[in-house]
């Protein structure tokens, strides 16, 4: 049985993950419209991953006998100054999500909710990866510094990314 406080916080996180999905779909659209189809595809995979994150929370709330209440998804930005700016915004957003996950963890500790703490462990590890990936792409873009061939190669590399269902949904850890 979930406490009301935890149930509300988990529902807010479902909304935050759906907003993230929406944000990355918008970034995918920006990249496609600005001649970066590989990066566009990379963000489409990111969009699917965020939907997975929302579904992990969704299924968890149900499994603990809680109620899911879906709120409206607020509008997301649609314009960025450059490809570098898109990935800098990605990193800033992931840092924000990390702090949301940390807050959830602190609340679960305060409420002595060990099951929720255990479920959140996957997200704590995932956020380390999310921030590192965005930082690596930013570093690459800065190194390339608008070199056409470099951008072409990076776009191609990012376009090779494929979607894999998140482990907690696929039956793994
Ligand atoms: Fe759901 Fe990218 O964190």
């Amino acid at each position: 049985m979930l406490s009301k406080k935890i149930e509300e916080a988990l529902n807010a996180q479902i909304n935050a993950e759906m907003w993230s999905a929406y944000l990355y779909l918008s970034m995918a659209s920006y990249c496609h419209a600005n001649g970066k189809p590989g990066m566009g595809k990379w963000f489409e995979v990111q969009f699917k991953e965020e939907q997975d994150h929302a579904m992990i929370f969704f299924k968890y709330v149900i499994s603990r006998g809680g109620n899911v209440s879906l709120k409206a998804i607020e509008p997301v930005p649609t314009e960025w100054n450059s490809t570098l700016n898109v990935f800098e915004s990605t990193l800033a957003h992931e840092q924000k999500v990390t702090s949301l996950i940390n807050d959830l963890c602190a609340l679960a500790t305060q409420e002595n909710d060990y099951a929720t703490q255990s479920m959140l462990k996957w997200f704590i590890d995932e956020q380390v990866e999310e921030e590192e990936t965005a930082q690596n792409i930013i570093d690459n873009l800065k190194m390339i510094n608008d070199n056409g061939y470099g951008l072409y190669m990076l776009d191609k590399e990012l376009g090779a990314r494929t979607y894999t269902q998140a482990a907690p949904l696929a039956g793994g850890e």
Side-chain angles (χ1 to χ4, degrees), residues 29-58:
S29 160
Y30 172 87
C31 291
H32 282 297
N34 285 278
K36 305 284 186 317
M39 294 179 191
K41 192 160 166 261
W42 191 90
F43 278 111
E44 285 172 36
V45 174
Q46 195 75 358
F47 163 66
K48 288 185 190 156
E49 284 198 353
E50 297 301 343
Q51 290 177 82
D52 277 4
H53 296 173
M55 282 309 292
I56 296 168
F57 283 109
F58 174 93

Side-chain angles (χ1 to χ4, degrees), residues 83-125:
T83 306
L84 176 60
N85 184 225
V86 172
F87 283 97
E88 284 173 339
S89 302
T90 299
L91 177 60
H93 179 63
E94 288 302 335
Q95 287 166 340
K96 202 176 108 197
V97 174
T98 299
S99 72
L100 292 178
I101 299 289
N102 288 345
D103 289 350
L104 271 175
C105 231
L107 182 65
T109 306
Q110 193 187 308
E111 297 275 302
N112 291 328
D113 186 336
Y114 301 109
T116 298
Q117 289 174 45
S118 171
M119 183 273 295
L120 288 170
K121 184 175 179 310
W122 185 85
F123 283 95
I124 292 167
D125 296 340

Side-chain angles (χ1 to χ4, degrees), residues 4-171:
K4 268 285 154 226
K5 264 190 189 171
I6 297 275
E7 186 185 81
E8 274 170 23
L10 293 172
N11 270 300
Q13 193 61 31
I14 292 173
N15 188 268
E17 299 291 350
M18 291 303 288
W19 192 87
S20 300
Y22 212 35
L23 173 69
Y24 292 136
L25 190 60
S26 184
M27 288 177 171
S29 160
Y30 172 87
C31 291
H32 282 297
N34 285 278
K36 305 284 186 317
M39 294 179 191
K41 192 160 166 261
W42 191 90
F43 278 111
E44 285 172 36
V45 174
Q46 195 75 358
F47 163 66
K48 288 185 190 156
E49 284 198 353
E50 297 301 343
Q51 290 177 82
D52 277 4
H53 296 173
M55 282 309 292
I56 296 168
F57 283 109
F58 174 93
K59 284 176 180 286
Y60 178 74
V61 170
I62 291 169
S63 73
R64 295 285 310 279
N67 288 314
V68 169
S69 89
L70 298 174
K71 303 281 191 295
I73 303 169
E74 293 296 320
V76 292
T78 54
E79 283 297 329
W80 289 269
N81 300 329
S82 63
T83 306
L84 176 60
N85 184 225
V86 172
F87 283 97
E88 284 173 339
S89 302
T90 299
L91 177 60
H93 179 63
E94 288 302 335
Q95 287 166 340
K96 202 176 108 197
V97 174
T98 299
S99 72
L100 292 178
I101 299 289
N102 288 345
D103 289 350
L104 271 175
C105 231
L107 182 65
T109 306
Q110 193 187 308
E111 297 275 302
N112 291 328
D113 186 336
Y114 301 109
T116 298
Q117 289 174 45
S118 171
M119 183 273 295
L120 288 170
K121 184 175 179 310
W122 185 85
F123 283 95
I124 292 167
D125 296 340
E126 174 73 5
Q127 285 310 120
V128 172
E129 202 183 303
E130 293 263 45
E131 287 189 32
E132 186 185 12
T133 305
Q135 184 63 62
N136 286 343
I137 298 171
I138 290 168
D139 292 344
N140 283 333
L141 281 166
K142 285 185 174 166
M143 194 161 38
I144 289 166
N145 192 22
D146 273 344
N147 173 281
Y149 184 67
L151 278 174
Y152 169 76
M153 290 306 288
L154 182 62
D155 190 62
K156 220 170 140 84
E157 184 189 319
L158 294 179
R161 181 184 188 190
T162 53
Y163 164 74
T164 312
Q165 191 175 41
L169 293 177

